[in-house]
Amino acid sequence: MKQILFFIIALLCPFTSYGQNFTEWKDPSVNSINREPMHASFFPYENKEKAVEGIKEKSNKYLSLNGMWRFQWVPDLTDRPADFFKTNYDDKAWDLIEVPGIWEMHGYGDPVYVNQRYEWDYLMKPEPPVTPEKNNHVGSYRRSITIPDDWSGQEVILHLGAVSPNVYIWINGKFAGYSEDSKLEAEFNITSYLKKGENLIALQIFRWCDGKYVECLDFWRFTGISRDVYLYAKNKEHITDYQVTATLAENNKAGTLSVKALLSAPSNKSRILFELKNDKNDLLWKEEKAGGKALSVETSFEEIDPWSAEQPNLYTLYISLFDSKGTLLECIPQRVGFKRVEIKNGQLLVNGKAILIKGVNRHEMDPDGGYHVSRQRMEEDVRLLKESNINAVRTSHYPNDPYWYELCDKYGIYVLDEANIEAHGYEKIADMKEWMTTHIERTTRMVERDKNVPSVIIWSMGNESGDGMNFIESYKEMKKIDSSRPVQYQRAGKKSHTDIYCPFYVDYQTLENYGKSKEPLPLIQCEYAHAMGNSMGGFKEYWDLYRQYDNLQGGFIWDFADQGIHEFRNGKMIYAYGGDFGKDLPSDNNFNCNGLFNPDRKPNPHLDEVRMVHQSIWTTPVNIKEGKISIFNENFFSDLSNVYLEWQIQEEGVITRQGVISSLNIQPQERQTLSLDYQITDNGKETFLNLFYKLKDSESLLEAGHIVARQQLDITTYNWNVGSSITTEDQPEIYDTRYALEVSTPTALICFNKKNGLLSGYSYKGNEFMEEGSFLKPNFWRAPTDNDFGARLPAKLGMWCEPLMELNSFTSEMKNNTVEVKADYHLPECQADLMLIYRINAAGEIAITQSLSIKDTDKESFLPRFGMQITLCPGFNDIEFYGRGPIENYADRKLSAFIGKYNQKVNDQYYPYIRPQETGNKSDLRWFRLKHQNNNGFCLVSSKPFNASALHFSTKDLDDSPAKKQRHGLEVPSRPTTILSVDLVQMGLGCIDTWGSLPMEKYLLKDNRYEFSFTIKPVNP
């Protein structure tokens, strides 16, 4: 034990003065040279006024180094320039590159995406700490700057916000430092290297170094400078670091504020002034202390406004340092949020409440900037989180830009702060002693930087990096710095060095079993609901469990936004993914595109479901026909005083009555029964109550009128007998030839191909509906989704894709003034029999019954869908339907799609997922109408709810079977024809994962017999 403690102490001793030998990049015991110790994220302003403004760019002590730098890139490490850092080096022939800037996004090297493996695996097997020299690109930077004259006598710090993966630094030709860790800032005191006038800063970055062994993340493997670079000046006597602890008493009213500060050059004659102000700039407390190496203050408040994601109440602490003459040397502003985070009785508590984590994983990724994410993009992202009822974010899998935390503090987002450790390609590293330095440094430096951030409620030691002594010791060291927050790590399971059980991609049954247990740790999935492609089916069922069991407290969806990057091919913009660049490079395809939003932050269709499932206001009927409802406020800290209710009575898709409840003073976690001003008598029409909960006043990025929750409750049911039958007053005529059967009416002509038994033509009033050469065909297949490919369904269920249909018999006869056509088939590849029955009346209406009987041979087999498909001639551009909408929805993803009447364009039905796949379905339809541009058309009706879609794309257009191809949803050409699919059922989408799991059993089509009846009715113009 003594040996381990000695080893840890040795690891934590900083390298203060050390010359480089160019072996640092492959030595795991050396992660920095001359790098300043990590401190809390803050900026020391020269006066109180600028500290109050809080914009460091306006400070006289700040000098931005963002912008254009001289740059040279070489493909191999051995070709890097050896003396480029010298002041007399001629760099005129070099390129210019923008800083921050990612090499690959500027054309230097090809973007590579891999998931679990190292990007150099194709060159060599992982052998820590060795990385290849071949293809180890090196970028060299040079920039000359002039230090402001008024910085004379002050210490000058070089701040590198984030450099991937390492950086060597020279100032005026002299080596000044080295650093690894792509996602935390590195600072260097360069005062002794500077001179009056012009100064040269030179940097050199490698594509690969030993540190990349713990940066094997599931994202683009980019290189470069991704955050701000700047210089700042500080007095020789300055505050080096401080720790703010703002705790909340058990009564959630009283608070205690303690501050510990460290000074660089302590003097009893210097003074530090502490002031706490509220958001109205009222002074709540001030205290002055004489200077010293380390000092602390503490004060208490009887009444304080707590911080939570629902109510992000912030205070500002000003820490001012004065010299012996009373001159202000620096003033530091610090956001303060009073809160209490603890684990009790198997639950995570924030301010004493067992909150629900409605979270998402978020990578720092931009389709143009790569790792460099602008402040404007961050502001957009936090706004989207608030609009989407997402209250928590995991900084997967590294500490984020400090500005992100500022936004989360201000607008209210719980943060799970994660260390930059993922050794997915070599997880044994967790138990290798020579890597203990790396693990402890990366975890503790994160805690040191973010210890004062109010929004951080949980620390994470990293992701998918095995488990062993390095994490056990990291846990201990993190707790020494901050014991006020829990620490978690997924690979630790339920061991003592994790305070939260945080598995990922747990199925429903396993989740429920844990909910029923008496385990001492709360379960919060650090990743779940893999939102890849057309996904998020079954998301509601996850939340049914989270809301049922106290020790299940939600999780973090994977993930926020697709990681595609902008690329132009054949004049079209696409979102490029793995494999789109270079030749013979490793790739994991589009597996980095799993977002609720697309790369440009436009919502993917499944976001609607997440937004609604996550909402915190829920309504249940009490006496729905008389307008009595119960409203539950799921918030833990906020009442509903800033919310009003708009309600509507909807009959057969038409709003017939509406009203507003302006006062909803429902306390957190309480219910209230309300009476709405209506009474419903059953008039034979399907009736719903639509409810919309909206903000009265703007609140935390959300504008007044924003819908925070909505719901649809059924009052009376639909009469399924209306419209599904066909009339039989007159009699059609039959013309039977050798190759075809024609059924003629005064207004319609329906043709069948006797060779295959399928309907081959349908014209009404001289207008042909069907594309020439097409058929109304049974359809059992869908263009596989990413989840389908992950479960290998194209291989397992491929027999249902256009199966061989052997026609056993084809007959026709007149029955009760209708023509009845029967086609009987055997499907040998599927071991199934199929019967199609058509009943045609004199009005040209066709009632179709499709019956499928499958032999009970394979319990694991099932149908992707059961229905029919037809290709319509060009001109069918409009649809109208009564069912779930307005956007696409599916059996296991339809809670957010309200039943209503919708008018839409066929052009708008296709959603361009990153790679093409099933899209556009509408479920629970009562009827579905297609309209031709000449005003003719037809309507589909059934005696039970059905599905339909209308696209300018065929299933083949969107199908990559048997294996994914390098295609993109935005580049698939549309057709002039319209492909109509009408189904009784389609299997669910699922969301457990995208590497094997199926949708829930209840959303699979495993029956041996299916029958679907629907009617096609021509519509008069």
Side-chain angles (χ1 to χ4, degrees), residues 260-384:
K260 297 177 181 178
L262 298 175
L263 274 66
S264 61
S267 168
N268 290 331
K269 295 182 179 180
S270 64
R271 295 178 298 111
I272 295 186
L273 176 65
F274 300 91
E275 301 172 282
L276 186 72
K277 294 190 175 184
N278 61 18
D279 60 351
K280 297 176 182 177
N281 205 34
D282 298 324
L283 180 63
L284 305 182
W285 164 77
K286 66 184 295 186
E287 185 170 339
E288 192 174 289
K289 281 270 189 175
K293 178 65 178 176
L295 54 89
S296 62
V297 292
E298 184 172 301
T299 187
S300 297
F301 303 91
E302 291 185 3
E303 198 163 319
I304 207 80
D305 292 325
W307 186 96
S308 68
E310 295 175 26
Q311 296 181 348
N313 299 302
L314 289 175
Y315 298 80
T316 304
L317 174 69
Y318 294 98
I319 308 175
S320 302
L321 176 64
F322 298 86
D323 66 12
S324 58
K325 298 179 181 180
T327 302
L328 177 63
L329 298 178
E330 63 183 23
C331 181
I332 299 169
Q334 173 62 51
R335 301 180 307 279
V336 175
F338 289 84
K339 68 180 186 300
R340 187 175 73 257
V341 183
E342 55 198 333
I343 305 292
K344 277 188 177 180
N345 300 320
Q347 292 181 303
L348 169 70
L349 306 182
V350 173
N351 302 340
K353 304 296 182 181
I355 62 167
L356 290 170
I357 296 294
K358 302 172 181 179
V360 70
N361 285 268
R362 175 184 173 272
H363 269 298
E364 289 186 316
M365 185 61 61
D366 183 89
D368 294 310
Y371 293 166
H372 172 51
V373 180
S374 69
R375 285 192 165 202
Q376 292 76 16
R377 181 69 85 189
M378 285 187 261
E379 291 162 3
E380 178 185 21
D381 285 358
V382 79
R383 176 180 57 81
L384 293 173

Side-chain angles (χ1 to χ4, degrees), residues 105 220 222 365-368 370 561-567 573-578 580-581 590 592-594 597-601 914 968:
M105 303 301 286
W220 291 103
F222 288 146
M365 185 61 61
D366 183 89
D368 294 310
D562 295 324
Q563 293 180 50
I565 56 181
H566 288 148
E567 180 74 2
M573 190 278 286
I574 62 168
Y575 295 120
Y577 53 79
D580 279 332
F581 303 95
N590 67 318
N592 60 347
C593 296
N594 328 113
F597 296 86
N598 79 8
D600 283 311
R601 276 47 173 188
I914 298 296
H968 308 83

Side-chain angles (χ1 to χ4, degrees), residues 752-786:
F752 293 87
N753 182 308
K754 293 178 69 175
K755 185 176 181 180
N756 59 24
L758 299 175
L759 191 149
S760 59
Y762 187 10
S763 64
Y764 183 73
K765 293 186 176 180
N767 297 294
E768 179 58 53
F769 290 162
M770 297 174 61
E771 174 72 354
E772 185 177 356
S774 68
F775 302 96
L776 174 62
K777 300 184 297 184
N779 184 30
F780 314 108
W781 189 249
R782 73 180 182 194
T785 65
D786 285 304

Side-chain angles (χ1 to χ4, degrees), residues 446-514:
M446 172 190 68
V447 176
E448 290 287 11
R449 191 195 73 163
D450 297 335
K451 57 183 176 275
N452 298 330
V453 177
S455 55
V456 173
I457 63 168
I458 307 169
W459 303 114
S460 168
M461 292 191 285
N463 185 64
E464 296 180 312
S465 298
D467 194 26
M469 72 168 81
N470 296 335
F471 285 104
I472 293 172
E473 299 305 324
S474 292
Y475 176 88
K476 294 175 183 176
E477 296 303 315
M478 293 168 75
K479 286 291 188 178
K480 288 178 183 177
I481 302 169
D482 177 31
S483 60
S484 70
R485 299 175 175 96
V487 175
Q488 72 171 51
Y489 179 54
Q490 181 267 334
R491 287 293 198 258
K494 304 172 191 174
K495 298 175 187 174
S496 60
H497 56 288
T498 182
D499 300 323
I500 295 171
Y501 180 44
C502 52
F504 44 48
Y505 307 111
V506 175
D507 63 68
Y508 306 97
Q509 189 58 59
T510 304
L511 195 64
E512 184 165 21
N513 291 343
Y514 193 93

